[in-house]
Amino acid sequence: PPPRLALIHAMQPSIASSIPAFQQLWPEAELVHLMDDSLARDVGRTGLDESMSKRFQALGRYAHDAAGCDGILFTCSAFGSAIEAVQRELRTDSFPVLKPNEAMMAEAARLGLGEGGKRAAPIAVFSIFEPTLPSILRELQDIGGGNLDLRP
C-alpha cells in the first residue's frame, strides 16, 4: 500500500500549497491533512509554551495512533520547539516526524560554516511570520553548533 502521511497545518494556505507539491513529487503518497488554524493566532499571544507543545503532541498522537499514518510532516516552521516535542515522543526509524525546513536549514548551516566548520559567510534570515524568528534563529544555531553569523 502507498505510504499514508499526516500533514499537520497551522494555516489554511499550507494545505493548498502542499497538494500540488505532493502530486508532482510523490503522487502515490496518501495524504491526511490535519489542521488547527488557531495555532498561528495563539503562538503570537503565548509563544511556544508548554500548552502549545501539548497541542502539537495531541495532533501527532492522533496522526500516529488514530489516523494510521506512516509519518508526519509539519507544514509550518513557526513551531520549532513544539514540533521537537513531537519528534522526541513519536519519531523512530520507521515513523518519521519532520519539520518543513529541516533540509533547508541544514544546507544554510553548511554554507554558513564552510570547510572545517569555521564561520565562512553570514546567513540572512527572513520570516514572513515574525513570531517564528526566534525559533528559526535558535534552530540554525543548534545545527551550526553556535558558530553561525546570523543576520535577521
Side-chain angles (χ1 to χ4, degrees), residues 50-127:
E50 184 65 25
S51 68
M52 188 66 64
S53 290
K54 287 181 179 181
R55 291 168 67 184
F56 270 76
Q57 287 170 303
L59 287 164
R61 282 186 211 113
Y62 176 81
H64 182 269
D65 300 336
C69 294
D70 299 307
I72 297 171
L73 172 63
F74 287 92
T75 63
C76 184
S77 61
F79 304 96
S81 62
I83 296 170
E84 289 160 9
V86 179
Q87 289 176 321
R88 284 189 298 275
E89 180 181 343
L90 297 175
R91 181 168 57 184
T92 65
D93 288 341
S94 62
F95 191 84
V97 178
L98 302 172
K99 296 177 187 177
N101 53 4
E102 281 185 73
M104 177 206 58
M105 290 180 114
E107 180 65 7
R110 186 189 70 73
L111 293 171
L113 290 175
E115 298 295 323
K118 302 244 190 240
R119 193 178 284 188
I123 299 171
V125 181
F126 300 93
S127 177

Side-chain angles (χ1 to χ4, degrees), residues 13 26 34 42-43 54 91 102 111 116 135:
W26 200 359
L34 304 176
D42 294 347
V43 75
K54 287 181 179 181
R91 181 168 57 184
E102 281 185 73
L111 293 171
S135 174

